[in-house]
Amino acid sequence: MNDMRPMDNVVTDKTKITARDVHVHYGTTHAIKGVDVDIADRTVTAFIGPSGCGKSTFLRCLNRMNDTIPGAVVTGKIRIDEADIYDPCVDPVQLRAKVGMVFQKPNPFPKSIYDNVAYGPKIHGLARNKAELDDIVEKALRRGAIWDEVKDRLHAPGTGLSGGQQQRLCIARAVATEPEILLMDEPCSALDPIATAQVEELIDELRRNFSVVIVTHSMQQAARVSQRTAFFHLGHLVEYGETGKIFTNPEDSRTESYISGRIG
Amino acid sequence: MTDISNDTPARHGALLVTDARTKRRNRAETRFKAYGITALAIGMAFLAALLWAILSNGLTAFGQTYVQLDVPLLEEKLDKDGDRDPEKIAKVSTFGYKPLIEAALTDLVAREGIETDLDGKALTKILSESAAAKIRDRVLANPELIGRTVGFDLLASSRVDGYLKGRVSRESLARDKNLDAAHLDLVDTLSDVGVVEKRFNWAFITGADASDSRPEQAGIGVAMLGSFFMMMVVLALSLPIGVAASIYLEEFAPQNRLTDIIEVNISNLAAVPSIVFGILGLAVFIQFMHLPQSAPLVGGLVLTLMTLPTIIISTRAALKAVPPSIRDAALGVGASKMQAVTHHVLPLAMPGILTGTILGLAQALGETAPLLLIGMVGYIATNYPDGVAEGFLSPNSAMPAQIYEWAKRADPAFYERAWGGIIVLLVFLLAMNLIAVLLRRRFERRW
């Protein structure tokens, strides 16, 4: 596995998600105004921008979590592997098994650590018996870099863990269903710097198996974990490109102002 | 340049001296605390007075005076032919038993060597009118007893019972034709030798209502069964309907004008006076659907209508209290909306739902007004007929309606039973609230 390491900063060219002319309205609010973006496979893509710029909204379009918000209307085309996810034939439940999500605040179910991770595989019928389920749970917890901390107390409540552990548990829960894409909505904003470092390290690991899209407030975080960065401002995708280029040589003056701290 | 002095100028008074403004604020705070304590004290005083009144008036209903009497069941009176034919024995009415009781009482007085001016007929006044019927029932059930002298525990009359409980005195009997002071002397002597004694009154808890002339026989048991049947109907209907409606409104329904109107109306229904539900039940269930009157099924349906808003409101509050992040988490791993609700939201909302349901049931259990309108004040003087399933459709009463009935009657012995009935009702309500608390503790989880 360690020989995979040299792929750091290598960006595959295969496109996983294609968005074309995406608009989102919440009632009378026009939250996303025509976003076009191609998100590459096995890459960490960061969405940055000031509060209320629509980056979380756009992220939630990618697994249709906006469907649950009353009054939200999404137009435009979003394709994952050439399949339009807003096609009437697509069941959002099936989509969300393919596109996992980690939320801003750690939100483990008030159940045991084991049940938290096993829930997704159970409802998707990924395990035929208890032994298989045990394997899936262990694998997911290992991928979530939390196995060593919880292996002796799998049946303790997930809510009893520390904030950072809870968030890694939530990541383990999300990867347990074997998604292809992992969406992360400010996964470190409720964590302290040490827990944040652990989660960031984990995100880098996850890149080997998933394409990761992360929304973050912290430009340093985007610079540390991502290969590509998209800058959102007032519902527009202002600039999208290689992370190194966005932070050192942005094309748009708004991007430059934001990363240098003049707006936002 | 502005000049900068080395010390910050004193902008407030010295800290050790309380200024007038602070004093005023502190006084207001003290006053407010005093108001609060006074209000609380008044509330506690009312509660204590209420409890004292209920207990002091009602506890006596749980004791009842009995007379132990050896009654000779003479063959020539009860079964002239001596062939023990049940039909012929049944032809002897309770009047046929009265001479036997008179004889037994005269015999008792003579045996104990008690001096009294009362003759046999007058002596029977210390017994309840139910005595003859009780002996007859026993004889009909077992004709072999005829010809023997059998010991019976017979109810004393309500006046004698009242005398032993301190409700009736020799002075009050001066205006009462039912009993004389001479009877009380007799009762005193008889209770000294242990023939007349007060016991715990199981018959009050298990028995049926009785006619105006024999309050000593009345019990709340049948009304309790009526209430039980009604609660079964209420629970079976209002819990599933209420929870389903709440889940739909809270988790699935779109936010539009229609659901707004429904929400407002549910809140309004919770405030509709219960008698309105009663007249609605009368019109819809009895006059339109021709369901039987006085039936626990109808009572249960009316109370279901009344309880539904309470259950829906508390269930929705419980569902709202589940953090949205739990729903997001479930949806995020690919659960369907229904799975998110049944696997995660509902278990977390369970304590609130159960508490609301039990409190709604407790409210329904104590409700009287709608029952009066649909005739759930049936006078059921016999113990419950066999067949529990039949209980939903056969006429019955309910505990609060029974209490209301007793309170209406003139005899103070019924008044005592009304208070006793209130104690039984309160015990049920307390038990239900206790269950609600225990369930909440049991199911409560933190996140």
Side-chain angles (χ1 to χ4, degrees), chain A residues 90 124 133 148 218:
Chain A
V90 172
H124 294 297
L133 193 60
D148 291 331
S218 152

Side-chain angles (χ1 to χ4, degrees), chain B residues 87-390:
Chain B
E87 278 185 33
K88 280 185 200 157
I89 299 172
K91 274 187 185 150
V92 182
S93 70
T94 50
F95 284 107
Y97 287 82
K98 289 214 164 142
L100 301 180
I101 298 173
E102 283 173 30
L105 282 169
T106 322
D107 184 43
L108 172 73
V109 170
R111 203 172 60 233
E112 300 290 343
I114 301 166
E115 299 268 324
T116 178
D117 304 333
L118 301 164
D119 60 6
K121 199 170 163 62
L123 278 174
T124 58
K125 283 186 176 174
I126 69 165
L127 287 180
S128 161
E129 284 183 32
S130 67
K134 189 173 176 188
I135 297 172
R136 183 169 176 269
D137 286 347
R138 190 95 165 258
V139 169
L140 289 183
N142 187 7
E144 296 307 314
L145 294 174
I146 292 175
R148 284 190 249 165
T149 298
V150 181
F152 286 93
D153 281 343
L154 298 173
L155 281 166
S157 75
S158 68
R159 301 288 186 302
V160 171
D161 184 49
Y163 172 62
L164 289 183
K165 287 171 181 169
R167 194 176 62 230
V168 173
S169 64
R170 284 177 172 77
E171 292 81 57
S172 71
L173 282 186
R175 297 184 302 276
D176 193 336
K177 276 184 271 176
N178 288 310
L179 213 61
D180 296 326
H183 287 108
L184 299 186
D185 296 335
L186 177 67
V187 168
D188 280 339
T189 325
L190 287 178
S191 61
D192 284 343
V193 296
V195 173
V196 172
E197 64 172 357
K198 227 166 80 179
R199 286 187 220 151
F200 187 74
N201 189 6
W202 281 111
F204 175 65
I205 298 172
T206 58
D209 195 8
S211 71
D212 280 358
S213 60
R214 46 178 85 165
E216 62 278 354
Q217 204 190 354
I220 202 169
V222 170
M224 216 187 272
L225 265 180
S227 281
F228 173 76
F229 286 134
M230 284 198 312
M231 288 306 111
M232 287 293 104
V233 175
V234 175
L235 187 66
L237 290 177
S238 65
L239 184 63
I241 297 175
V243 171
S246 323
I247 291 176
Y248 178 74
L249 280 175
E250 200 57 45
E251 307 283 341
F252 294 94
Q255 286 277 317
N256 56 30
R257 180 162 299 180
L258 183 68
T259 47
D260 281 352
I261 291 172
I262 291 173
E263 264 171 52
V264 169
N265 278 305
I266 288 172
S267 309
N268 285 340
L269 275 181
V272 167
S274 54
I275 199 147
V276 176
F277 285 105
I279 208 149
L280 175 80
L282 177 66
V284 174
F285 298 128
I286 294 176
Q287 289 169 352
F288 179 68
M289 289 166 70
H290 297 291
L291 289 171
Q293 283 178 40
S294 310
L297 177 68
V298 178
L301 287 171
V302 171
L303 293 180
T304 299
L305 293 181
M306 235 194 67
T307 315
L308 264 178
T310 315
I311 291 187
I312 292 178
I313 289 170
S314 63
T315 302
R316 292 191 65 186
L319 290 173
K320 265 202 189 89
V322 175
S325 65
I326 296 294
R327 293 178 184 86
D328 281 351
L331 295 177
V333 295
S336 70
K337 212 153 182 184
M338 199 63 225
Q339 284 173 325
V341 170
T342 52
H343 295 167
H344 301 288
V345 178
L346 210 50
L348 290 172
M350 219 47 187
I353 294 173
L354 289 177
T355 312
T357 306
I358 290 174
L359 293 183
L361 278 186
Q363 192 192 350
L365 182 68
E367 200 55 68
T368 323
L371 302 184
L372 301 181
L373 284 178
I374 55 156
M376 276 295 284
V377 280
Y379 168 66
I380 314 295
T382 48
N383 271 313
Y384 215 75
D386 33 350
V388 173
E390 200 186 348

